[in-house]
Amino acid sequence: MALRTLTRFWADRPLALKGLVVVALPLAILLGALVSLYIASNAEVRAEDDVRRAVAIQRDTYQAHALLAEAAAGVRGYALTGQDRFLEPYRKAESYLPETMARLDQAIRDKEVRQRFDRINELAGRKREGLRRIVELADDPAARQGEPSPIEQALVSNKVVLDAMRLEIELIQRRESVLLDERRARVEEVRARYLTLTAVSALVGLLGSLAAVYLFSTGIVRRVKMLEGNAGRLARGEELTNLPDDDADEIGRLAQRLARASALLRGREQALRESEERFRLVIEEVRDYGIFALDPDGVVTSWNLGAQRIKGWEADEILGHHFSRFYPEETRDYLPGEMLARARQGGTAEDEGWRLRKDGSRFWANVVITALHDELGELRGFAKVTRDMTDRRRSEEALRVAREEAIAANLAKSEFLSRTSHELRTPMSAILGFGQLLELDEDRLEPRHREALSQIMKAGRHLLSLINDLLDISSIEAGGAELSIEPLDLGELLEEVHALAGPILDTAGLHFVLEPPAQPLVAWADRRRVVQVMLNLVSNAAKYNRTGSQVRLSCALRSRDIRIAVEDDGEGVAPADVPRLFTPFDRLGQQNRGRVDGTGLGLALSKRLVESMGGQIGYEAPGHGARFWFTLPSRPRSRARASAAKAAIKV
């Protein structure tokens, strides 16, 4: 029972914790063993260092004693003989003894040995000082006089110091021998513990590894194998066996989700089969579109009712035949292959053209061919959708014919207006001529005759203006208006228009303001037509500005074009009337017709003239009043652009 509880507790732990335990347990044991081995190894190294230090202390104490003894013997020989060769041991002791004593000072750790070393160090200092004194006395002949002589006294004193030093060194040697034995015993003990710890660490590591393998096997491997088997069954579409327990870790949850996925997948497979069946029924029952499939070579492999209705073949009559049978003879040899090639390359291919029915009759069809590929990208065939567009084709053909007839009628209208205007202009010129002759004798006429003459001249001039505008519009629409494009100095041109239109503004009681350009501006246009457009806009401002006080004429450079503007401070144009401004014969403000003269062609004619010179014309409300503007190119246009503009005006 306890084992089962422990197994359940272990199975419910997260995989991260299991992996941590499985990996960390052997690592922890190994790390503990390594730490223990490291500690034991350090202990052994320290013990061996203590042994080596004890040996070094014994060696250096013997060396210090030997150096001083040899130095004393040499100094004695020098004192007795006076020969310098006896001083070599003394000089050697002076050279090596400080280094030896320094090594001993660093190596000694034991308190008892340290006390004796300090005594030896003091005696060594006295010994060296005594030897130096003897060398100095040996060089003085007077030191050899007397009984006993100073040299003899110094030799006896140094011998006593050396004997005391020898005694201290023997005591140190005895103590270091004891310490050496203890340290060697400790080394052996540490080595034995080291071997024991190594064996225990190996045993514990083996047991830990076995425990980790057991935990890994019971917690992961067995259940992963079960998952692998269920995954294979799921891939084959089989029902799952060995359903998982209610384990709470990731593998348990994965097994449960795998079981739910299996049930969901089987349900979706059933739904997919039902959907495919419904799709097959929909495709087969569609009647407005011919939908059928082709193999990679273009052979018909499926057929629906729409294809049967449009083309006339029954399914058993067309299945297995190449789809080129639907094409007329003039395109049958190349177009079917081109359509399939385009679909292979681009995914889809669309075309409109004549196709054949079973009875040989033709119909206008819109055809879309789509390439069908499998999961690996291999071409499996084509889907072809055909729609009968014969009615739309007939409508488009009728619309084309109607458009051509409208264009012909418009050209006939322009021709008629042109001829009529010419025919009217001749008698009108005669009427105005005779009227001008009568005006010469106006003083002789009675008041009622003068008023009649004034009405005749006013009506004649109005009719002549209308005829001239009609001639201009007809000429532009017919493409017969010749333009003389040349560079124009707009500053000079604005001054000319200001002078020409000044009387018109004076008559209307308006102040005419000219704003010359800040810098010289040159436009490429027809001088006469530009003046005509400016005068037309200024005269319109004079006629319709009943409440304001001025009209402003200005120009400025805007990007690559030059913009000329005519602005007044009158009532402006109603927003609802703005779209009708440039419509021929559409005069705004019919309620004021008695007070405002005009033909309704001025703005329309100005628009045609500006566009024929490569510019644009428009209207904008500045807040109070009205502003009409048009643009002219600041550089000569290419022939292609000029031809395109002229063609647009004609259309």
Side-chain angles (χ1 to χ4, degrees):
M1 184 67 181
L3 180 60
R4 176 177 294 180
T5 303
L6 181 61
T7 302
R8 168 59 59 186
F9 174 80
W10 170 251
D12 289 343
R13 296 309 95 194
L15 285 180
L17 178 61
K18 292 177 181 177
L20 180 63
V21 171
V22 169
V23 175
L25 181 60
L27 287 180
I29 295 172
L30 177 61
L31 182 62
L34 291 176
V35 171
S36 301
L37 293 177
Y38 175 74
I39 294 173
S41 176
N42 281 344
E44 183 179 6
V45 170
R46 287 195 301 270
E48 291 178 350
D49 288 342
D50 291 341
V51 172
R52 284 193 294 271
R53 187 166 54 253
V55 173
I57 290 172
Q58 289 181 341
R59 183 189 67 241
D60 288 339
T61 53
Y62 278 124
Q63 184 177 3
H65 181 267
L67 288 172
L68 289 174
E70 291 176 358
V75 169
R76 188 181 299 112
Y78 177 73
L80 295 176
T81 62
Q83 295 181 6
D84 190 65
R85 61 186 180 83
F86 286 102
L87 290 179
E88 288 298 326
Y90 169 71
R91 295 190 183 98
K92 180 179 179 182
E94 286 294 321
S95 176
Y96 290 105
L97 187 60
E99 181 181 350
T100 302
M101 298 302 289
R103 286 200 304 270
L104 285 171
D105 185 40
Q106 293 181 355
I108 293 174
R109 305 286 176 82
D110 187 72
K111 293 182 179 180
E112 181 181 348
V113 176
R114 168 61 64 180
Q115 293 175 357
R116 297 192 181 282
F117 172 73
D118 293 339
R119 175 63 178 162
I120 289 175
N121 200 15
E122 178 186 356
L123 293 173
R126 290 170 54 189
K127 180 66 175 177
R128 292 172 62 193
E129 183 63 29
L131 292 176
R132 189 162 41 252
R133 175 66 178 162
I134 292 172
V135 172
E136 292 175 354
L137 291 175
D139 294 334
D140 186 5
R144 299 180 182 275
Q145 304 297 324
E147 190 65 32
S149 63
I151 293 178
E152 292 176 350
Q153 293 177 1
L155 289 172
V156 172
S157 177
N158 271 277
K159 184 177 181 305
V160 173
V161 172
L162 185 61
D163 290 341
M165 187 175 177
R166 182 183 299 111
L167 178 60
E168 293 294 335
I169 289 175
E170 287 180 356
L171 292 175
I172 287 177
Q173 293 292 341
R174 291 174 186 173
R175 177 60 181 170
E176 286 297 330
S177 296
V178 173
L179 292 175
L180 182 60
D181 292 339
E182 292 177 356
R183 289 166 181 169
R184 284 176 175 168
R186 190 181 310 129
V187 168
E188 294 300 327
E189 181 182 357
V190 169
R191 185 173 289 114
R193 287 206 306 265
Y194 170 76
L195 293 176
T196 303
L197 185 59
T198 301
V200 172
S201 299
L203 180 60
V204 172
L206 178 61
L207 293 177
S209 299
L210 293 176
V213 169
Y214 173 76
L215 292 175
F216 184 77
S217 176
T218 57
I220 299 176
V221 174
R222 176 180 57 82
R223 298 159 67 207
V224 168
K225 288 184 177 179
M226 181 186 69
L227 283 178
E228 182 182 6
N230 282 338
R233 297 184 186 90
L234 182 63
R236 295 189 297 271
E238 301 175 359
E239 186 177 358
L240 300 187
T241 60
N242 298 324
L243 294 178
D245 299 329
D246 296 331
D247 297 332
D249 64 346
E250 289 86 344
I251 294 180
R253 292 194 294 271
L254 178 61
Q256 295 166 11
R257 291 174 182 174
L258 191 64
R260 290 195 295 269
S262 174
L264 181 62
L265 184 60
R266 293 173 66 83
R268 288 184 176 178
E269 287 178 350
Q270 180 63 28
L272 180 61
R273 285 192 292 269
E274 295 175 356
S275 175
E276 289 176 347
E277 180 64 19
R278 288 194 299 271
F279 180 74
R280 184 186 63 80
L281 294 175
V282 168
I283 293 298
E284 290 182 353
E285 296 297 327
V286 169
R287 302 183 61 84
D288 292 335
Y289 291 85
I291 303 174
F292 53 94
L294 308 174
D295 67 8
D297 296 326
V299 176
V300 180
T301 58
S302 70
W303 198 252
N304 77 328
L305 291 178
Q308 178 178 333
R309 183 189 66 82
I310 294 173
K311 298 180 181 291
W313 278 279
E314 299 284 345
D316 55 356
E317 295 175 332
I318 196 62
L319 292 179
H321 294 273
H322 198 271
F323 82 111
S324 59
R325 295 185 63 179
F326 310 141
Y327 289 77
E329 293 183 1
E330 60 268 21
T331 60
R332 184 177 300 168
D333 294 336
Y334 67 91
L335 189 54
E338 288 183 1
M339 292 289 290
L340 294 184
R342 286 165 51 195
R344 288 190 190 97
Q345 183 176 4
T348 61
E350 185 174 0
D351 179 54
E352 285 194 8
W354 294 110
R355 299 295 186 269
L356 292 180
R357 294 188 177 93
K358 178 182 177 181
D359 58 7
S361 61
R362 296 191 176 199
F363 67 98
W364 188 262
N366 174 269
V367 176
V368 178
I369 298 179
T370 303
L372 305 177
H373 299 86
D374 58 16
E375 297 85 352
L376 301 178
E378 296 292 333
L379 181 66
R380 307 299 296 175
F382 302 91
K384 189 170 184 291
V385 179
T386 302
R387 185 180 181 186
D388 188 353
M389 307 294 290
T390 306
D391 292 340
R392 193 196 72 179
R393 172 72 174 179
R394 290 171 181 163
S395 300
E396 290 177 350
E397 185 66 22
L399 182 61
R400 183 185 62 80
V401 172
R403 183 174 180 274
E404 291 177 354
E405 291 176 351
I407 293 174
N410 186 51
L411 293 176
K413 180 261 299 181
S414 298
E415 182 67 19
F416 169 76
L417 287 176
S418 178
R419 292 183 179 180
T420 302
S421 299
H422 280 289
E423 295 295 332
L424 291 175
R425 196 170 191 176
T426 300
M428 184 54 59
S429 298
I431 292 173
L432 291 176
F434 284 114
Q436 290 172 354
L437 290 176
L438 290 174
E439 284 180 336
L440 294 177
D441 297 328
E442 186 176 2
D443 296 338
R444 301 178 183 179
L445 299 178
E446 297 179 2
R448 60 187 182 88
H449 292 156
R450 285 199 299 271
E451 184 179 355
L453 177 61
S454 175
Q455 293 294 330
I456 291 172
M457 295 300 295
K458 185 177 180 180
R461 291 190 180 96
H462 178 73
L463 186 57
L464 182 62
S465 176
L466 175 61
I467 292 171
N468 289 335
D469 289 344
L470 285 173
L471 283 174
D472 285 338
I473 288 182
S474 301
S475 177
I476 292 173
E477 289 182 346
E482 294 295 332
L483 299 176
S484 177
I485 304 298
E486 58 181 333
L488 304 178
D489 185 345
L490 286 182
E492 176 185 342
L493 198 63
L494 260 64
E495 292 179 357
E496 179 182 344
V497 173
H498 183 265
L500 291 174
I504 301 176
L505 274 297
D506 293 339
T507 302
L510 299 173
H511 180 53
F512 194 10
V513 179
L514 173 63
E515 292 185 358
Q519 57 184 354
L521 297 178
V522 176
W524 287 79
D526 186 296
R527 182 184 186 89
R528 184 173 65 86
R529 296 303 189 182
V530 173
V531 171
Q532 181 179 353
V533 173
M534 289 187 188
L535 290 176
N536 190 7
L537 296 180
V538 171
S539 63
N540 277 353
K543 286 189 293 184
Y544 290 97
N545 186 3
R546 298 299 188 184
T547 61
S549 61
Q550 68 176 9
V551 174
R552 187 182 306 274
L553 176 64
S554 63
C555 74
L557 181 64
R558 297 288 181 88
S559 184
R560 297 184 177 182
D561 295 329
I562 298 174
R563 172 168 158 153
I564 298 97
V566 176
E567 181 178 348
D568 64 68
D569 57 353
E571 297 179 357
V573 180
D577 294 334
V578 172
R580 300 162 47 200
L581 282 174
F582 299 96
T583 305
F585 303 106
D586 190 359
R587 294 186 61 205
L588 304 180
Q590 293 291 336
Q591 68 276 11
N592 298 324
R593 182 178 295 275
R595 295 191 293 115
V596 180
D597 295 332
T599 63
L601 292 173
L603 289 178
L605 178 60
S606 297
K607 184 175 187 297
R608 303 291 177 89
L609 290 174
V610 170
E611 290 177 349
S612 67
M613 292 184 288
Q616 294 179 337
I617 190 170
Y619 165 81
E620 58 191 21
H624 181 68
R627 181 188 298 129
F628 286 87
W629 57 267
F630 67 96
T631 62
L632 296 174
S634 61
R635 61 188 65 183
R637 294 185 301 162
S638 64
R639 293 185 177 180
R641 292 178 59 191
S643 300
K646 185 176 290 188
I649 295 299
K650 291 176 64 176
V651 173

